[in-house]
Amino acid sequence: MCATKTQDLVATSRQIALLQEHGADIIRIAIDSKRDVEALAEIRKQTSARLVVDLQESYKLAKSVAPYVQKIRYNPGHLYHHEKDTPVQEKVKYIVSVAREYDLALRIGVNFGSLDPAQAGSDEDPIEVALSSAREHVGYLEELGFTNYVVSLKSSDPNDVVEINTRFADLFAEIPLHVGVTEAGMLPMGEIKTRVAFENLLARGIGDTLRVSLTLPHSEKYQEVVIAKKIIEDVYAGRFRSVPRFEHAGLNIISCPSCSRVENEAFVDLAQKVKAMTQEFSEKKLTIAVMGCRVNGPGETDDADLGLWCAPNHVNLKKGSTLLGQFSYEEIVPKLRAEMSKLVQERGL
Ligand code: SF4
């Protein structure tokens, strides 16, 4: 996936070329506005790469992006934000009509960080919510007789990714699955989490397309493709490195891979500072989420012990679902450290 600003044509085209050079079969670009669509049209002229666009809230942009891409991803959890009076099923119908007209594939992309609010009760198991959301949308597409689609069910926890994809594959063996651990974070833990999921799923024949999602500087994003290929090769050669489950005994850092939606370019640097600062807590069983924007930031931080999600000029600091405050990019790391120390004391970790 491109992490560059889509409207930065030079940087985005360079990143596409680098991803393609390292073997990416299809490259995702984020589109949120008409200006992003204009940029996409220019990018299309410069590359032969297969492109997929991720619609998020702007489902109506499907029609404008369709001439330039091979696939559209929509997230059931994001079809509620615009035109609240239009039923979700109508929005899906619109996206499907565009996909038919332009002969595009679709991906129903369910993400634990942004689950469908209509499905999610406050205490419900996210696996059940995500499965039910996927089933609902599979139902919509089947009703419309549309078959050119894949489903993805992504969580930042590799054990959840294994469980939900296995359950979905048991229910719908014929529907292709795009697999991935979202917000797997920084290396080396991001690769380990991804391996745990892929080794378990691919060895069972589950997964038709995949993505590795790591927090990396733009110039190194191609490493996602290199690592993905290595894991696939290892699984096919019977070289397994993971244990069947991901039992993180100590600190677990979830961080998003960043994309063009990232609210501030300082995000990757912030994630790395958090990783460095938290070394002293490496033995403590805490989950810290570091997220680049509001798309999955509020949801993913709800489930963490402490979470940061970025706004353009400040960073939101949360303890579970409670907002502790908003701090500048300079203040946030010491604030997080103080809250981690408090939590360690409170819990006697
Ligand atoms: S949280 Fe925001 S910045 Fe991070 S990958 Fe998701 S959409 Fe992109």
PDB file of all heavy atoms in Angstrom, residues 1 56 183 256-263 267 291-297, ligand 1:
ATOM      1  N   MET A   1       0.832  -1.188   0.000  1.00  0.00           N
ATOM      2  CA  MET A   1       0.000   0.000   0.000  1.00  0.00           C
ATOM      3  C   MET A   1       0.875   1.248   0.000  1.00  0.00           C
ATOM      4  O   MET A   1       1.898   1.280   0.677  1.00  0.00           O
ATOM      5  CB  MET A   1      -0.893   0.010   1.233  1.00  0.00           C
ATOM      6  CG  MET A   1      -1.744   1.248   1.318  1.00  0.00           C
ATOM      7  SD  MET A   1      -3.061   1.083   2.499  1.00  0.00           S
ATOM      8  CE  MET A   1      -3.811   2.690   2.361  1.00  0.00           C
ATOM      9  N   GLN A  56     -13.071   4.085   2.036  1.00  0.00           N
ATOM     10  CA  GLN A  56     -13.453   4.576   3.363  1.00  0.00           C
ATOM     11  C   GLN A  56     -14.851   5.205   3.313  1.00  0.00           C
ATOM     12  O   GLN A  56     -15.762   4.585   2.817  1.00  0.00           O
ATOM     13  CB  GLN A  56     -12.390   5.529   3.930  1.00  0.00           C
ATOM     14  CG  GLN A  56     -11.031   4.878   4.071  1.00  0.00           C
ATOM     15  CD  GLN A  56     -10.957   3.766   5.103  1.00  0.00           C
ATOM     16  OE1 GLN A  56     -11.938   3.447   5.740  1.00  0.00           O
ATOM     17  NE2 GLN A  56      -9.805   3.149   5.247  1.00  0.00           N
ATOM     18  N   GLU A 183      -2.137  -3.151  11.286  1.00  0.00           N
ATOM     19  CA  GLU A 183      -1.380  -2.458  12.337  1.00  0.00           C
ATOM     20  C   GLU A 183      -0.431  -3.395  13.069  1.00  0.00           C
ATOM     21  O   GLU A 183      -0.325  -3.364  14.300  1.00  0.00           O
ATOM     22  CB  GLU A 183      -2.339  -1.803  13.344  1.00  0.00           C
ATOM     23  CG  GLU A 183      -3.169  -0.708  12.742  1.00  0.00           C
ATOM     24  CD  GLU A 183      -4.661  -1.026  12.741  1.00  0.00           C
ATOM     25  OE1 GLU A 183      -5.080  -1.828  13.579  1.00  0.00           O
ATOM     26  OE2 GLU A 183      -5.386  -0.487  11.897  1.00  0.00           O
ATOM     27  N   CYS A 256      -0.124   1.446  13.314  1.00  0.00           N
ATOM     28  CA  CYS A 256      -0.651   1.331  11.960  1.00  0.00           C
ATOM     29  C   CYS A 256       0.487   1.532  10.965  1.00  0.00           C
ATOM     30  O   CYS A 256       1.500   2.130  11.275  1.00  0.00           O
ATOM     31  CB  CYS A 256      -1.798   2.318  11.733  1.00  0.00           C
ATOM     32  SG  CYS A 256      -1.291   3.968  11.265  1.00  0.00           S
ATOM     33  N   PRO A 257       0.303   1.017   9.740  1.00  0.00           N
ATOM     34  CA  PRO A 257       1.389   1.094   8.761  1.00  0.00           C
ATOM     35  C   PRO A 257       1.541   2.492   8.158  1.00  0.00           C
ATOM     36  O   PRO A 257       2.475   2.742   7.413  1.00  0.00           O
ATOM     37  CB  PRO A 257       0.963   0.091   7.697  1.00  0.00           C
ATOM     38  CG  PRO A 257      -0.521   0.059   7.778  1.00  0.00           C
ATOM     39  CD  PRO A 257      -0.868   0.276   9.224  1.00  0.00           C
ATOM     40  N   SER A 258       0.598   3.371   8.471  1.00  0.00           N
ATOM     41  CA  SER A 258       0.460   4.718   7.889  1.00  0.00           C
ATOM     42  C   SER A 258       0.082   4.617   6.414  1.00  0.00           C
ATOM     43  O   SER A 258       0.370   3.622   5.753  1.00  0.00           O
ATOM     44  CB  SER A 258       1.694   5.602   8.082  1.00  0.00           C
ATOM     45  OG  SER A 258       2.651   5.393   7.082  1.00  0.00           O
ATOM     46  N   CYS A 259      -0.571   5.650   5.944  1.00  0.00           N
ATOM     47  CA  CYS A 259      -0.958   5.719   4.527  1.00  0.00           C
ATOM     48  C   CYS A 259      -1.156   7.194   4.228  1.00  0.00           C
ATOM     49  O   CYS A 259      -0.794   8.043   5.040  1.00  0.00           O
ATOM     50  CB  CYS A 259      -2.242   4.913   4.281  1.00  0.00           C
ATOM     51  SG  CYS A 259      -3.696   5.645   5.051  1.00  0.00           S
ATOM     52  N   SER A 260      -1.745   7.510   3.081  1.00  0.00           N
ATOM     53  CA  SER A 260      -1.843   8.926   2.733  1.00  0.00           C
ATOM     54  C   SER A 260      -2.759   9.685   3.682  1.00  0.00           C
ATOM     55  O   SER A 260      -2.768  10.903   3.692  1.00  0.00           O
ATOM     56  CB  SER A 260      -2.354   9.073   1.304  1.00  0.00           C
ATOM     57  OG  SER A 260      -3.715   8.771   1.267  1.00  0.00           O
ATOM     58  N   ARG A 261      -3.540   8.960   4.489  1.00  0.00           N
ATOM     59  CA  ARG A 261      -4.444   9.651   5.416  1.00  0.00           C
ATOM     60  C   ARG A 261      -3.751  10.092   6.693  1.00  0.00           C
ATOM     61  O   ARG A 261      -4.364  10.748   7.520  1.00  0.00           O
ATOM     62  CB  ARG A 261      -5.621   8.747   5.773  1.00  0.00           C
ATOM     63  CG  ARG A 261      -6.466   8.422   4.600  1.00  0.00           C
ATOM     64  CD  ARG A 261      -7.715   7.696   4.996  1.00  0.00           C
ATOM     65  NE  ARG A 261      -8.506   7.439   3.820  1.00  0.00           N
ATOM     66  CZ  ARG A 261      -8.511   6.295   3.147  1.00  0.00           C
ATOM     67  NH1 ARG A 261      -7.801   5.282   3.581  1.00  0.00           N
ATOM     68  NH2 ARG A 261      -9.238   6.162   2.067  1.00  0.00           N
ATOM     69  N   VAL A 262      -2.520   9.678   6.879  1.00  0.00           N
ATOM     70  CA  VAL A 262      -1.848   9.999   8.139  1.00  0.00           C
ATOM     71  C   VAL A 262      -1.932  11.512   8.387  1.00  0.00           C
ATOM     72  O   VAL A 262      -1.748  12.313   7.473  1.00  0.00           O
ATOM     73  CB  VAL A 262      -0.396   9.450   8.113  1.00  0.00           C
ATOM     74  CG1 VAL A 262       0.525  10.296   7.270  1.00  0.00           C
ATOM     75  CG2 VAL A 262       0.151   9.255   9.497  1.00  0.00           C
ATOM     76  N   GLU A 263      -2.276  11.866   9.622  1.00  0.00           N
ATOM     77  CA  GLU A 263      -2.595  13.281   9.903  1.00  0.00           C
ATOM     78  C   GLU A 263      -1.351  14.169   9.982  1.00  0.00           C
ATOM     79  O   GLU A 263      -1.441  15.372   9.848  1.00  0.00           O
ATOM     80  CB  GLU A 263      -3.356  13.395  11.225  1.00  0.00           C
ATOM     81  CG  GLU A 263      -4.709  12.718  11.218  1.00  0.00           C
ATOM     82  CD  GLU A 263      -5.788  13.525  10.514  1.00  0.00           C
ATOM     83  OE1 GLU A 263      -5.471  14.544   9.893  1.00  0.00           O
ATOM     84  OE2 GLU A 263      -6.954  13.097  10.584  1.00  0.00           O
ATOM     85  N   PHE A 267       4.313  10.978  12.134  1.00  0.00           N
ATOM     86  CA  PHE A 267       3.783   9.747  12.733  1.00  0.00           C
ATOM     87  C   PHE A 267       4.813   8.615  12.862  1.00  0.00           C
ATOM     88  O   PHE A 267       4.953   8.006  13.918  1.00  0.00           O
ATOM     89  CB  PHE A 267       2.554   9.252  11.931  1.00  0.00           C
ATOM     90  CG  PHE A 267       2.172   7.857  12.304  1.00  0.00           C
ATOM     91  CD1 PHE A 267       1.531   7.607  13.510  1.00  0.00           C
ATOM     92  CD2 PHE A 267       2.509   6.780  11.502  1.00  0.00           C
ATOM     93  CE1 PHE A 267       1.212   6.307  13.895  1.00  0.00           C
ATOM     94  CE2 PHE A 267       2.195   5.487  11.872  1.00  0.00           C
ATOM     95  CZ  PHE A 267       1.547   5.255  13.069  1.00  0.00           C
ATOM     96  N   MET A 291      -1.542   5.163  16.432  1.00  0.00           N
ATOM     97  CA  MET A 291      -2.300   5.163  15.181  1.00  0.00           C
ATOM     98  C   MET A 291      -2.195   6.513  14.472  1.00  0.00           C
ATOM     99  O   MET A 291      -2.176   7.560  15.113  1.00  0.00           O
ATOM    100  CB  MET A 291      -3.768   4.853  15.481  1.00  0.00           C
ATOM    101  CG  MET A 291      -3.980   3.560  16.243  1.00  0.00           C
ATOM    102  SD  MET A 291      -3.547   2.099  15.294  1.00  0.00           S
ATOM    103  CE  MET A 291      -4.787   2.136  14.038  1.00  0.00           C
ATOM    104  N   GLY A 292      -2.189   6.461  13.130  1.00  0.00           N
ATOM    105  CA  GLY A 292      -1.906   7.654  12.341  1.00  0.00           C
ATOM    106  C   GLY A 292      -3.056   8.605  12.100  1.00  0.00           C
ATOM    107  O   GLY A 292      -2.839   9.753  11.746  1.00  0.00           O
ATOM    108  N   CYS A 293      -4.304   8.143  12.275  1.00  0.00           N
ATOM    109  CA  CYS A 293      -5.422   9.048  12.013  1.00  0.00           C
ATOM    110  C   CYS A 293      -6.700   8.527  12.645  1.00  0.00           C
ATOM    111  O   CYS A 293      -6.704   7.481  13.282  1.00  0.00           O
ATOM    112  CB  CYS A 293      -5.605   9.267  10.500  1.00  0.00           C
ATOM    113  SG  CYS A 293      -6.496   7.934   9.700  1.00  0.00           S
ATOM    114  N   ARG A 294      -7.802   9.237  12.368  1.00  0.00           N
ATOM    115  CA  ARG A 294      -9.067   8.879  13.014  1.00  0.00           C
ATOM    116  C   ARG A 294      -9.743   7.672  12.374  1.00  0.00           C
ATOM    117  O   ARG A 294     -10.733   7.179  12.877  1.00  0.00           O
ATOM    118  CB  ARG A 294     -10.015  10.093  12.988  1.00  0.00           C
ATOM    119  CG  ARG A 294     -10.533  10.382  11.632  1.00  0.00           C
ATOM    120  CD  ARG A 294     -11.240  11.697  11.497  1.00  0.00           C
ATOM    121  NE  ARG A 294     -11.210  12.066  10.111  1.00  0.00           N
ATOM    122  CZ  ARG A 294     -12.043  11.587   9.198  1.00  0.00           C
ATOM    123  NH1 ARG A 294     -12.991  10.759   9.538  1.00  0.00           N
ATOM    124  NH2 ARG A 294     -11.919  11.945   7.945  1.00  0.00           N
ATOM    125  N   VAL A 295      -9.234   7.183  11.222  1.00  0.00           N
ATOM    126  CA  VAL A 295      -9.929   6.085  10.536  1.00  0.00           C
ATOM    127  C   VAL A 295     -10.007   4.848  11.440  1.00  0.00           C
ATOM    128  O   VAL A 295     -11.085   4.329  11.709  1.00  0.00           O
ATOM    129  CB  VAL A 295      -9.252   5.751   9.184  1.00  0.00           C
ATOM    130  CG1 VAL A 295      -9.833   4.474   8.592  1.00  0.00           C
ATOM    131  CG2 VAL A 295      -9.460   6.901   8.208  1.00  0.00           C
ATOM    132  N   ASN A 296      -8.853   4.376  11.884  1.00  0.00           N
ATOM    133  CA  ASN A 296      -8.863   3.244  12.814  1.00  0.00           C
ATOM    134  C   ASN A 296      -8.338   3.643  14.194  1.00  0.00           C
ATOM    135  O   ASN A 296      -8.285   2.810  15.099  1.00  0.00           O
ATOM    136  CB  ASN A 296      -8.013   2.089  12.272  1.00  0.00           C
ATOM    137  CG  ASN A 296      -8.641   1.489  11.039  1.00  0.00           C
ATOM    138  OD1 ASN A 296      -9.855   1.334  10.967  1.00  0.00           O
ATOM    139  ND2 ASN A 296      -7.826   1.196  10.049  1.00  0.00           N
ATOM    140  N   GLY A 297      -7.935   4.908  14.346  1.00  0.00           N
ATOM    141  CA  GLY A 297      -7.355   5.361  15.612  1.00  0.00           C
ATOM    142  C   GLY A 297      -8.288   5.212  16.800  1.00  0.00           C
ATOM    143  O   GLY A 297      -7.959   4.530  17.771  1.00  0.00           O
TER     144      GLY A 297
HETATM  145  S1  SF4 B   1      -4.980   4.500  10.922  1.00  0.00           S
HETATM  146 FE1  SF4 B   1      -5.162   6.108   9.373  1.00  0.00          FE
HETATM  147  S2  SF4 B   1      -3.038   6.594   8.793  1.00  0.00           S
HETATM  148 FE2  SF4 B   1      -2.991   4.603   9.808  1.00  0.00          FE
HETATM  149  S3  SF4 B   1      -3.138   3.147   8.086  1.00  0.00           S
HETATM  150 FE3  SF4 B   1      -5.218   3.448   8.929  1.00  0.00          FE
HETATM  151  S4  SF4 B   1      -6.054   5.046   7.609  1.00  0.00           S
HETATM  152 FE4  SF4 B   1      -3.829   5.109   7.302  1.00  0.00          FE
END
